[in-house]
Amino acid sequence: MLKRLEAYYDAVPRSAARAEDFGALTLFVREGEGWPYYARPALGHTGAVAVEAVEKVRARQRELGVPEAFEWVAETTPGLRAAVEASGLVVHEHPLMVLTETAEELPAPPKDVTVRMVGAGDPAFESAVAAPYAAFGATPAPGAAAQVAARIEAGLTRLAAALDPTGTALAAGQHQPVGPVTEVVGVGTRPGSRRRGLGLAVTATLVTDARTRGAETVFLTATDETVARLYARLGFRTVATALIAEQAEQAG
């Protein structure tokens, strides 16, 4: 399973980024507008990583003006953490979960909320793109809606949202298929609509869509153990630990 996820992690950025080779590490550099990518272990590399290799990547990230960020799976590349921390970055741990069980029966969404898939031409599209940003007190990055629309048209992204009676997205999220594997990402609920089960309802809709479209492996990364317990209600189980490293000021 972890080898399958590693292949996915290596493949998914390549539709919108170029890969720069740093030996044991690969730096993905976004081409065009949108959220910047990160560095991660080169596909197939599971051994030690030198601090010097991490510092070379960080220097290149500074040169490009992008965040000094690394993402990887602890169990797959255990030797990277020490090098990353020795270079001065802060490492965060998150449960990496794969859909392996049958979901429990969830309460129906509130009567005034409709949870469904949203296409690029849908009147609710821009609101659905914006909802996860609003969940974290942010606004969409320049070109974010156009980027998501292009990915939907290319079959690289699927978008779901919980909509109020006016068609405004109260919560939304995506899954990103690559072959038989897809990752649920960016699920967020607007602050005023939390504790109504909307994020879980959106995730359940994404899972159903992924399965209907033939996905064999559906996975996600939970923020923490509390959130992981919610996803467990949908049949997700923790299989490993996803690590994200960033500068201390970014973490703050």
Side-chain angles (χ1 to χ4, degrees), residues 125-216:
F125 172 71
E126 291 200 6
S127 178
V129 171
Y133 286 88
F136 300 100
T139 55
Q147 178 195 359
V148 174
R151 289 183 60 83
I152 289 175
E153 295 296 336
L156 300 172
T157 292
R158 299 283 291 169
L159 176 66
L163 307 173
D164 71 9
T166 71
T168 299
L170 305 177
Q174 305 173 23
H175 76 87
Q176 300 182 340
V178 176
V181 182
T182 192
E183 181 181 16
V184 175
V185 299
V187 177
T189 303
R190 295 181 187 272
S193 299
R194 290 174 181 161
R195 300 188 181 279
R196 301 176 69 190
L198 302 184
L200 209 58
V202 166
T203 304
T205 298
L206 291 167
V207 167
T208 298
D209 181 76
R211 288 300 201 200
T212 299
R213 298 173 69 84
E216 298 172 7

Side-chain angles (χ1 to χ4, degrees), residues 19-169:
E20 297 190 2
D21 182 8
F22 286 82
L25 299 168
T26 300
L27 172 60
F28 292 103
V29 182
R30 176 170 292 283
E31 297 184 319
E33 295 182 324
W35 197 259
Y37 282 109
Y38 41 78
R40 61 171 294 101
L43 185 61
H45 183 86
T46 59
V49 179
V51 178
E52 292 76 15
V54 173
E55 291 176 342
K56 284 181 180 178
V57 172
R58 292 186 63 187
R60 177 59 174 154
Q61 289 171 322
R62 289 193 296 271
E63 180 184 347
L64 293 167
V66 299
E68 297 173 45
F70 293 73
E71 297 187 8
W72 73 102
V73 177
E75 291 77 1
T76 303
T77 318
L80 180 54
R81 181 166 189 161
V84 164
E85 290 181 328
S87 79
L89 297 180
V90 177
V91 178
H92 307 276
E93 299 182 357
H94 304 280
L96 178 59
M97 310 183 75
V98 173
L99 186 68
T100 61
E101 309 290 340
T102 301
E104 66 180 69
E105 186 173 350
L106 300 176
K111 292 182 179 180
D112 61 341
V113 175
T114 301
V115 184
R116 62 174 176 81
M117 301 304 295
V118 176
D122 195 298
F125 172 71
E126 291 200 6
S127 178
V129 171
Y133 286 88
F136 300 100
T139 55
Q147 178 195 359
V148 174
R151 289 183 60 83
I152 289 175
E153 295 296 336
L156 300 172
T157 292
R158 299 283 291 169
L159 176 66
L163 307 173
D164 71 9
T166 71
T168 299

Side-chain angles (χ1 to χ4, degrees), residues 220-241:
L220 55 77
T221 299
T223 305
D224 52 35
E225 292 296 340
T226 299
V227 176
R229 285 193 288 273
L230 293 176
Y231 287 132
R233 298 177 62 190
L234 296 179
F236 286 92
R237 296 294 180 265
T238 299
V239 298
T241 303

